[in-house]
Amino acid sequence: MKRILQYSSVLFLLATFHNTHAQLRKVPAEVTEAFKAKYPDTRNVEWKDKLTSFIVYFEMNDDKYQSKFNNKGAWQQTEKEINESDLPEAVKDGYDKSKFTAWEIVTVATIENKDNNVQYRLMVKKNDVEKKYLFFDTDGRLLRDVITI
């Protein structure tokens, strides 16, 4: 029993150190400069280190955003929370024709990526148990669905 407690303590400390260590890495100057150049008028900026990239959460013009930059400062994508009522008609129609039409829409976002493609991500749930992200293109075509936790 004593040995199990020792192993549990060591595993807990390692997990805690790993999570803390990942958050302590400083955001490189080229990343913060690239962010400031792309989005100069932001507030409530919060960075998250994802080891191979950096995620920045921010507000701009009273909207909430999330952007991803690689370690060299190259912009990868930006997500913006929107209201369901702001979805384009083609996306609403695509959702209405999908097999997920009976699922409840929880959140909606637009995603713009480095290739200038725009997608719409709908988080949907069924019976408070199953949750999925649905990705639609601007024409309302369902590109993929991904299980979320």
Side-chain angles (χ1 to χ4, degrees):
M1 180 70 172
K2 184 177 179 182
R3 192 164 286 259
I4 291 173
L5 287 174
Q6 288 175 334
Y7 284 125
S8 297
S9 297
V10 169
L11 288 174
F12 175 77
L13 289 173
L14 285 173
T16 303
F17 174 74
H18 180 266
N19 288 339
T20 304
H21 180 68
Q23 298 301 318
L24 292 178
R25 185 171 71 145
K26 185 175 177 171
V27 179
E30 56 265 9
V31 175
T32 56
E33 289 170 10
F35 169 69
K36 288 176 186 175
K38 185 159 183 68
Y39 302 106
D41 298 320
T42 61
R43 57 185 164 74
N44 298 328
V45 176
E46 206 173 301
W47 289 93
K48 190 168 222 177
D49 184 353
K50 292 293 189 181
L51 297 179
T52 59
S53 63
F54 291 91
I55 306 292
V56 57
Y57 301 89
F58 60 98
E59 292 178 17
M60 186 171 64
N61 301 325
D62 296 326
D63 292 317
K64 293 181 180 181
Y65 293 84
Q66 171 183 324
S67 282
K68 180 178 179 182
F69 290 82
N70 71 14
N71 288 331
K72 303 287 185 199
W75 174 76
Q76 304 295 300
Q77 71 176 35
T78 297
E79 297 180 19
K80 175 186 174 189
E81 291 182 18
I82 63 171
N83 293 319
E84 183 180 343
S85 60
D86 295 331
L87 279 171
E89 287 302 318
V91 177
K92 288 178 187 178
D93 189 49
Y95 172 72
D96 289 341
K97 292 178 180 176
S98 75
K99 65 182 180 180
F100 301 101
T101 192
W103 292 44
E104 177 188 349
I105 297 175
V106 179
T107 61
V108 179
T110 61
I111 302 172
E112 179 187 357
N113 65 28
K114 63 184 177 181
D115 299 324
N116 288 324
N117 292 328
V118 175
Q119 293 181 3
Y120 294 87
R121 184 190 68 216
L122 283 63
M123 180 184 188
V124 296
K125 70 178 182 177
K126 179 179 178 182
N127 300 329
D128 290 330
V129 177
E130 292 183 79
K131 292 182 182 176
K132 289 191 177 220
Y133 285 125
L134 308 178
F135 294 86
F136 290 88
D137 66 11
T138 55
D139 295 326
R141 186 178 54 164
L142 179 62
L143 302 172
R144 67 188 183 283
D145 62 274
V146 179
I147 296 173
T148 183
I149 298 173

